[in-house]
Amino acid sequence: MKPGAIFRAAYCVVLLGFCAACASMPTLDDVSGIFSPAPKPDPAAEMPALETQIFDLIQAERLKLDPKARTLTLDPELVDIARKRSAAMALKNSFVVGGDPHASATMLMDDDAKFQGMIGENVAAQHYNRAGINVDVFAKRFVAGWLASKPHKENLLFSDYNRSGVGAAVNGDTIYVTQLFTTDLGLGPHDGSAPPSQVTRVASPQQGKDDDDKVPLRGAITPSDQ
């Protein structure tokens, strides 16, 4: 690399660092002459980064705790449904949406009439204060909370799940997060014999897998309590 290129690269780094510092500094009002605090980032703008960080942490935990677990693929359809689920929770400040504790399963089946298999759902909420949202810290808290809960841990560690989506939403001082996991268990697409709204609740993903020859699966879902 030519010396001039090194100089230009270093100059760019210094310039960007200077601009970042300026963005966090108080601003002076030209009329009043009073310094006002720098505006904090909009919490809603932090949600996509939070979703990505949670997905990456869950992926790492699965492979660490069960090296044989299938690698999760981030599914855009599941991301969209998880976001809708979290937005609905945030709107009502409740984990139950419209009286249906299986809202995500219903949403998925409405959007994909051919889906057949199992749906696992983990939801949680956290409050934040005026200091704002540290994406890394909050992602670790969400994942740690799920790992500390037996049904949520069973969901995220179920080795057959191979697709996932994370959605986050904020309302007031509370962040709501939904993570969905799915697998078709090799059953193939739904053949239309069951109504789209049918949801079979099972106590654990493993039970759903063990009972798949007894109960026609059309969106079996595991517990989604906070």
Side-chain angles (χ1 to χ4, degrees), residues 81 83 91 185 192 197:
I81 292 167
R83 285 175 174 171
L91 181 64
L185 291 174
S197 61

Side-chain angles (χ1 to χ4, degrees), residues 1-200:
M1 180 182 292
K2 296 180 181 179
I6 294 175
F7 176 79
R8 285 195 296 272
Y11 175 78
C12 288
V13 171
V14 172
L15 180 61
L16 288 173
F18 174 75
C19 292
C22 290
S24 62
M25 292 174 62
T27 56
L28 178 64
D29 187 288
D30 292 335
V31 177
S32 66
I34 300 174
F35 281 99
S36 59
K40 292 184 173 63
D42 179 5
E46 304 289 339
M47 295 300 101
L50 180 63
E51 294 168 355
T52 298
Q53 186 73 344
I54 289 173
F55 177 82
D56 290 343
L57 289 174
I58 292 295
Q59 185 89 280
E61 286 294 334
R62 279 172 60 87
L63 297 178
K64 180 176 72 174
L65 297 174
D66 183 3
K68 296 182 179 179
R70 299 178 70 179
T71 300
L72 295 174
T73 297
L74 190 62
D75 188 313
E77 181 182 14
L78 294 180
V79 171
D80 181 60
I81 292 167
R83 285 175 174 171
K84 290 177 181 176
R85 170 72 157 120
S86 291
M89 290 191 295
L91 181 64
K92 293 181 175 291
N93 285 315
S94 172
F95 291 103
V96 178
V97 178
D100 181 5
H102 310 312
S104 293
T106 303
M107 289 177 182
L108 178 57
M109 288 182 285
D110 286 345
D111 285 357
D112 185 354
K114 292 184 178 179
F115 176 78
Q116 176 171 282
M118 292 178 59
I119 305 168
E121 177 191 77
N122 283 348
V123 296
Q126 284 191 58
H127 297 292
Y128 68 93
N129 56 31
R130 293 181 180 178
I133 297 169
N134 182 313
V135 169
D136 184 59
V137 170
F138 272 74
K140 289 178 179 177
R141 287 178 184 171
F142 275 110
V143 174
W146 286 332
L147 287 171
S149 164
K150 186 174 183 291
H152 295 83
K153 185 176 181 179
E154 287 178 345
N155 257 354
L156 67 89
L157 291 182
F158 184 56
S159 61
D160 284 74
Y161 285 140
N162 64 323
R163 307 189 78 79
S164 183
V166 182
V170 61
N171 183 11
D173 65 349
T174 307
I175 304 168
Y176 290 86
V177 171
T178 302
Q179 181 161 19
L180 301 179
F181 306 89
T182 66
T183 173
D184 62 9
L185 291 174
L187 297 171
H190 173 57
D191 61 8
S193 60
S197 61
Q198 179 180 327
V199 176
T200 301

